[in-house]
Amino acid sequence: MIIVLMGAPGAGKGTQADMLTDQVGYRKISTGDALRKHVKLGTPVGKQAADIMARGELVPDNVLLDVLREEIGSNPKEVVVLDGYPRNLTQAETLRQVVEGVHPVRGCVHLDVDRSAIVERLSGRRVCSSCGTSFHVSANPPKKDGVCDKCGASLYQRPDDDAKSISVRLDVYDRSTEPVLDYYRQRGLYCKVNGAGVTDEIFRELRDAISTCLN
Ligand code: ADP
Ligand code: ZN
């Protein structure tokens, strides 16, 4: 069963998906994380994706299809939280076809956050180079500057978290990704969760919204 987690860049999808994994046991698939792993390892996919990602544009759909197939698995009982896919209508249709019969999409939960908060969140974000945990320079700083609280590895700023790429990513979101919300709305699968405020409260609302989708 698949739950599609949607929201603008910086809406907190990654953080919330990690909490769903740790606290509820759902499996998270993040296409952004998967692509960054390919980039780090220098695979053919990574070589194709690196510059596109740094600019904040979308990696081609056929590349994403390979990544999706690699990650999705075939256990129909498992609850999979999909973070970062689909990002356009073509991908939404691809997902439906790829998972048909095995992993039905049971809901699309939209983590809704104000545009003004988003730029602030992304530009102050720092990410662990080893475990991927996100921090924020002022809202959620690590105990020791530049060091991950969880695993002690060094923090870095994602190349696409600079002002220019942030603006491209938000444009891409408005143009290509937002129509996907309507795609799921028309299929009766859409629900919205307020993504502003305290992480734990957002988490509770999100967890309840997902339970409703799964019932
Ligand atoms: P964010 O949601 O913060 O923008 P992600 O980590 O989800 O970041 O994605 C980072 C980048 O990876 C995207 O800007 C894009 O270049 C690429 N990417 C991730 N998922 C997809 C996708 N489904 N289709 C195309 N490109 C993708
Ligand atoms: Zn870490």
Side-chain angles (χ1 to χ4, degrees):
M1 291 179 286
I2 291 184
I3 296 292
V4 173
L5 189 56
M6 300 275 298
K13 301 184 298 291
T15 303
Q16 294 291 338
D18 283 339
M19 292 172 77
L20 289 166
T21 300
D22 292 346
Q23 299 184 36
V24 194
Y26 300 154
R27 184 159 70 91
K28 162 189 162 177
I29 296 177
S30 158
T31 49
D33 287 350
L35 286 168
R36 278 184 289 277
K37 206 185 298 162
H38 277 283
V39 171
K40 203 167 165 185
L41 294 172
T43 67
V45 165
K47 290 204 172 92
Q48 211 178 334
D51 292 345
I52 301 173
M53 291 174 75
R55 288 198 299 272
E57 293 163 10
L58 292 187
V59 174
D61 292 336
N62 63 323
V63 176
L64 263 297
L65 177 57
D66 291 343
V67 171
L68 181 69
R69 285 222 174 94
E70 211 171 87
E71 302 280 327
I72 199 83
S74 56
N75 176 359
K77 292 218 179 87
E78 184 177 56
V79 177
V80 174
V81 176
L82 205 44
D83 162 13
Y85 195 99
R87 258 180 158 87
N88 60 32
L89 290 172
T90 309
Q91 293 184 3
E93 264 308 294
T94 301
L95 176 64
R96 193 181 62 73
Q97 287 161 18
V98 167
V99 301
E100 208 160 43
V102 185
H103 275 306
V105 175
R106 294 292 294 273
C108 161
V109 186
H110 174 200
L111 210 50
D112 188 32
V113 179
D114 232 53
R115 192 50 58 98
S116 58
I118 281 190
V119 175
E120 158 67 18
R121 282 191 190 182
L122 290 174
S123 47
R125 174 160 70 178
R126 299 293 181 272
V127 186
C128 175
S129 54
S130 174
C131 74
T133 303
S134 280
F135 299 85
H136 187 280
V137 286
S138 54
N140 172 32
K143 290 199 186 77
K144 190 165 171 241
D145 216 27
V147 178
C148 176
D149 289 354
K150 262 198 193 164
C151 76
S154 61
L155 303 182
Y156 78 110
Q157 183 166 25
R158 269 170 45 175
D160 57 347
D161 278 346
D162 71 310
K164 186 147 180 270
S165 306
I166 289 173
S167 128
V168 173
R169 283 155 70 202
L170 292 174
D171 281 350
V172 168
Y173 180 79
D174 290 342
R175 216 166 347 107
S176 305
T177 310
E178 208 166 57
V180 177
L181 299 178
D182 265 329
Y183 174 95
Y184 287 116
R185 206 178 271 126
Q186 283 156 13
R187 285 161 178 77
L189 293 170
Y190 174 87
C191 80
K192 182 153 89 176
V193 166
N194 182 4
V198 185
T199 308
D200 288 327
E201 277 164 24
I202 300 167
F203 174 70
R204 277 194 289 277
E205 208 188 311
L206 179 64
R207 188 193 52 196
D208 294 348
I210 293 177
S211 311
T212 309
C213 295
L214 294 174
N215 281 324

